[in-house]
Amino acid sequence: MARQKTVIVNDVEYTLQSVSFSWYTNLTDLYVRPASGRKNTAKYADALIKGCVIAPAEVAKRGLKVFDEQDDITTPTELVREIENFLSERAEPDGSTEKSAT
């Protein structure tokens, strides 16, 4: 079962769901370290948000478009940071999470 976590970014509650290692590494290979050498942070952030945010539903479905329409740069930046932090945590047998060593 995928892990879930609720975070609050700029007074909005977001429910995050974990993704598989394969999904995440494919995403980073595609947009962060592509064969073309051209990083695409916006597409990375959009795919990460759509893949990991399950609530609010509008953000889960529309990704960065929600924030673009509001001329909001701060919220998606912080939300991506929260998602990356969440994905780097690992579940413990008792269900709690702990930050993985880097």
Side-chain angles (χ1 to χ4, degrees):
M1 177 189 268
R3 293 180 299 115
Q4 292 186 0
K5 180 178 181 177
T6 300
V7 297
I8 297 174
V9 178
N10 293 335
D11 299 322
V12 176
E13 189 173 282
Y14 297 89
T15 303
L16 309 179
Q17 181 170 286
S18 62
V19 293
S20 70
F21 178 76
S22 297
W23 186 93
Y24 185 72
T25 55
N26 285 334
L27 180 70
T28 58
D29 287 349
L30 188 60
Y31 297 122
V32 178
R33 293 182 299 271
S36 67
R38 303 186 95 187
K39 181 177 179 179
N40 192 326
T41 305
K43 286 186 178 180
Y44 166 78
D46 187 54
L48 190 65
I49 289 169
K50 288 177 180 175
C52 296
V53 173
I54 57 174
E58 181 182 19
V59 175
K61 182 177 180 180
R62 298 183 63 230
L64 285 181
K65 288 181 183 178
V66 172
F67 305 108
D68 287 346
E69 291 169 356
Q70 300 169 1
D71 291 327
D72 184 355
I73 295 172
T74 305
T75 302
T77 301
E78 182 61 28
L79 183 56
V80 166
R81 188 174 304 123
E82 288 285 349
I83 294 168
E84 290 173 332
N85 287 339
F86 167 64
L87 293 177
S88 70
E89 297 170 348
R90 61 183 164 151
E92 293 298 308
D94 66 359
S96 63
T97 58
E98 107 178 5
K99 181 81 173 173
S100 64
T102 54

